[in-house]
Amino acid sequence: MNEALATAPIGVIEATRDGEITAINERAATLIESEPDAVIGESLSAGFPTAATDHLSEALDDEPSPTDFEEYYPRIDRWLAVDVQVDDGLRLFVRETTETHELQQRVDRLDRRLDRVQRIDALIVRVLQQVLGAADREEIATSVCDRLGGADRYDFVWVGDRAFQTDSLQVVADAGTAPELRDRIDTALGEPDSLPGQRAVDTGETQVIDAFADDASVPRAVRQAAFASGLQSCLAVPLQYQETVYGVVSVYASQAEGFSEQERAGLETLGRVAGFAIRAIRQEDLLVADTVTEVTLSVSGDSIPLDQAAAATDTTFSLVGAVPRGDGPVVCYVTPDDSVAEAAPDDDVTAADDAAADDETVAGDGTLTPTTIEQTLHDYEQVADVSWIRTGNDPLVQVTVDGETPVTALTSWGASIRSATYRGGSTRIVAEAPPAESVRQLIETVDETVAETDLRAKEATTPSAESVAAFQNELADRLTDRQQAVLRAAYLADYFESPRGSTAAEVADSLDIAGPTLLYHLRRAERKLVAAFLATDPTTPAGDADQ
């Protein structure tokens, strides 16, 4: 072997046409993990590592012929690219390609993972579309099971409905071929905290079983039935909206650790959307019901910040409206029964004034101060924010509550709160629920957040029906001629569209009035229109005085 080949950066092996090795450079000896002196005189078939498919031996059979190939050699755990040249003798050029193959394997694995994630995401999207279009809770459960259970990825799926009074589960839909497991699940659901699905409901958190064989928390009969059906792992996701858990979806796979992080995230999204859909169905039932169930509750306990604040300020708070924010908290609009002193401009309040306000519950004229009420409410962890809408003789404060309170529990459950009175030591709440819903469930939901709950009254009521024409006529009586003209012109000019078809200035020009004049009348007309729709007492809607 000449000097250039002996020092080449690639492996070089020279042999006779009969395959006897006559020379090998250091790089080739390193690649095949042999000493140069040990392989000189050996045959290529003996000196070269053995592969599963021996391309080299095939190239040397009978009459040697030029060839090239790539092969994996288990003994040295390397991929080698071999180029065989034939002249008077044989010369093999050897390069390692292990890194290239490993890179390609990683790419292939990522491609397979991406394909799997995309298929799972597409599946979840189809399920979500069906869930959002479902007419009732049973249809939601059936949609989830039919789609997930019919997928190649998952072998068995069941959806359980939560009984609020006991927190127990009942299977309402299932899909897949595991009849024995289905029977064992029914039996195990009668035992507390026995299945990951039950734990998901109890904790409001996703539960994962990576391998049934390694998890003794699952009843033995359930594990045996899962093994018999070829199932090894499970993921249980609560069907939850805000703080309320309505049920669970449990998904089983035939592989151990069968759920990737992406799958878990997708199924958790499904659980939240299904919970939202269940909540929306409850609210829709309430809106379209011919009759509703009105309940009056008396509650007490330290988890009612408005009641605690009423006691601390020696007043009574009345809830005039509650708006769920959509992410858990509820915005409450509350009126103190006493007058509240007008808030001073910030520039007029000194540090000394602030310190004095901390120690005073009322102002000099006997009225409550905004600062005192605000500071008192902020002392409770369930209060996220406080701001004043108006002070004086007709005060209104906006209080955002979060966490476990009767108001958040009721709104998460799907009830509509009509009113509430906080007297400092006792709270009275009036709420409405669809007639099909269990009053016992409603009470149990509230009772989880307070020390004591009493049902004071329950009555089936019929919402008063009013024709569109009657509503329009009554509203027209409350609007001035100018307010009606401004409202109609703005509506016909697409002022209320998004994007607007006309600006306020353009509508004002069409009526030959100034822009501020148009906005003045438009705001008052809008207030009367909204008040007629939202006022709790339709006979005296807000805004009648603004003529």
Side-chain angles (χ1 to χ4, degrees):
M1 182 181 294
N2 63 39
E3 183 66 20
L5 293 177
T7 59
I10 66 172
V12 181
I13 301 174
E14 293 181 344
T16 65
R17 291 179 70 92
D18 294 333
E20 180 183 333
I21 298 174
T22 58
I24 181 171
N25 70 357
E26 289 290 339
R27 179 56 181 161
T30 300
L31 288 175
I32 66 174
E33 296 185 1
S34 296
E35 294 294 333
D37 294 341
V39 297
I40 300 297
E42 293 280 350
S43 66
L44 282 170
S45 59
F48 211 78
T50 302
T53 304
D54 198 349
H55 291 89
L56 181 59
S57 296
E58 294 174 1
L60 299 179
D61 282 348
D62 299 327
E63 186 66 24
S65 58
T67 186
D68 61 84
F69 55 86
E70 282 189 70
E71 189 74 85
Y72 176 70
Y73 296 88
R75 182 177 67 80
I76 60 176
D77 192 24
R78 285 194 177 101
W79 279 86
L80 299 179
V82 181
D83 183 7
V84 180
Q85 296 183 0
V86 179
D87 198 353
D88 294 337
L90 303 176
R91 180 174 290 134
L92 281 64
F93 295 95
V94 185
R95 294 179 295 107
E96 182 175 7
T97 57
T98 302
E99 185 175 347
T100 301
H101 278 273
E102 289 178 347
L103 178 60
Q104 184 60 49
Q105 288 172 349
R106 287 197 295 272
V107 170
D108 291 342
R109 285 196 298 270
L110 289 173
D111 284 342
R112 289 194 296 271
R113 183 180 299 175
L114 177 61
D115 178 65
R116 174 178 163 187
V117 169
Q118 288 174 335
R119 286 188 288 109
I120 291 169
D121 286 347
L123 171 64
I124 296 298
V125 168
R126 290 194 296 272
V127 176
L128 293 178
Q129 289 171 341
Q130 286 195 313
V131 164
L132 290 175
D136 52 40
R137 295 175 69 171
E138 184 176 351
E139 186 176 340
I140 290 175
T142 302
S143 298
V144 170
C145 285
D146 287 349
R147 281 293 186 179
L148 293 182
D152 295 336
R153 178 76 192 128
Y154 307 121
D155 299 276
F156 182 67
V157 180
W158 64 272
V159 173
D161 193 27
R162 174 192 176 194
F164 279 82
Q165 61 268 34
T166 61
D167 278 341
S168 61
L169 283 172
Q170 178 182 2
V171 178
V172 292
D174 64 89
T177 54
E180 185 179 354
L181 176 60
R182 171 70 166 80
D183 293 339
R184 296 291 186 273
I185 288 172
D186 280 337
T187 302
L189 285 177
E191 304 170 7
D193 198 30
S194 60
L195 291 176
Q198 184 66 61
R199 293 196 292 271
V201 169
D202 294 341
T203 64
E205 298 177 354
T206 299
Q207 303 294 310
V208 182
I209 303 295
D210 286 326
F212 282 116
D214 300 330
D215 199 316
S217 67
V218 179
R220 188 167 180 268
V222 174
R223 283 183 285 156
Q224 288 176 333
F227 291 147
S229 302
L231 305 176
Q232 297 191 52
S233 56
C234 171
L235 185 74
V237 176
L239 306 181
Q240 181 174 10
Y241 179 72
Q242 296 179 358
E243 301 298 325
T244 303
V245 179
Y246 298 101
V248 68
V249 54
S250 290
V251 185
Y252 293 73
S254 57
Q255 304 87 20
E257 299 183 0
F259 301 91
S260 66
E261 289 298 321
Q262 293 89 342
E263 285 175 271
R264 175 171 175 166
L267 290 169
E268 286 177 338
T269 299
L270 170 62
R272 289 191 294 271
V273 173
F276 167 79
I278 293 171
R279 161 75 184 282
I281 288 171
R282 286 173 174 267
Q283 290 183 317
E284 183 180 3
D285 289 344
L286 181 60
L287 290 173
V288 303
D290 293 331
T291 61
V292 296
T293 301
E294 182 181 276
V295 296
T296 302
L297 303 177
S298 176
V299 296
S300 60
D302 296 337
S303 63
I304 313 173
L306 286 166
D307 187 68
Q308 298 291 304
T313 56
D314 194 24
T315 188
T316 298
F317 289 115
S318 297
L319 180 71
V320 296
V323 180
R325 207 170 68 181
D327 55 349
V330 177
V331 182
C332 299
Y333 295 87
V334 180
T335 61
D337 278 3
D338 297 313
S339 297
V340 176
E342 296 287 351
D346 290 343
D347 292 342
D348 296 337
V349 179
T350 65
D353 293 331
D354 283 339
D358 289 341
D359 297 328
E360 294 181 2
T361 303
V362 296
D365 58 358
T367 59
L368 290 166
T369 66
T371 302
T372 300
I373 293 179
E374 218 172 307
Q375 291 176 342
T376 302
L377 287 168
H378 274 304
D379 285 341
Y380 306 101
E381 61 179 2
Q382 298 98 331
V383 175
D385 186 51
V386 180
S387 61
W388 285 94
I389 306 300
R390 57 180 182 265
T391 54
N393 292 328
D394 185 23
L396 180 64
V397 60
Q398 176 180 292
V399 184
T400 302
V401 296
D402 197 2
E404 294 188 351
T405 71
V407 167
T408 54
L410 284 167
T411 55
S412 295
W413 190 80
S416 175
I417 300 176
R418 301 297 298 166
S419 64
T421 306
Y422 306 88
R423 293 190 173 87
S426 67
T427 295
R428 178 180 176 274
I429 301 175
V430 180
E432 290 181 348
E437 294 292 347
S438 168
V439 172
R440 180 181 176 85
Q441 292 179 2
L442 183 148
I443 295 173
E444 292 287 343
T445 301
V446 175
D447 197 46
E448 292 176 357
T449 69
V450 296
E452 186 176 352
T453 306
D454 292 324
L455 175 63
R456 293 301 179 89
K458 181 182 74 170
E459 180 183 6
T461 62
T462 303
S464 59
E466 182 179 22
S467 69
V468 174
F471 176 81
Q472 290 175 334
N473 291 334
E474 184 178 350
L475 182 62
D477 291 340
R478 294 175 179 154
L479 297 174
T480 66
D481 291 343
R482 177 54 61 89
Q483 289 169 355
Q484 289 189 51
V486 166
L487 194 62
R488 181 176 293 276
Y491 172 75
L492 295 174
D494 286 346
Y495 174 78
F496 299 109
E497 298 295 325
S498 181
R500 285 176 173 170
S502 303
T503 65
E506 290 168 341
V507 177
D509 287 342
S510 70
L511 296 174
D512 194 24
I513 59 177
T517 302
L518 177 126
L519 293 176
Y520 174 86
H521 291 296
L522 190 59
R523 279 195 297 269
R524 279 151 182 77
E526 288 173 337
R527 174 167 175 75
K528 292 178 181 180
L529 178 63
V530 173
F533 181 73
L534 295 180
T536 56
D537 183 1
T539 61
T540 56
D544 275 357
D546 292 327
Q547 299 295 326

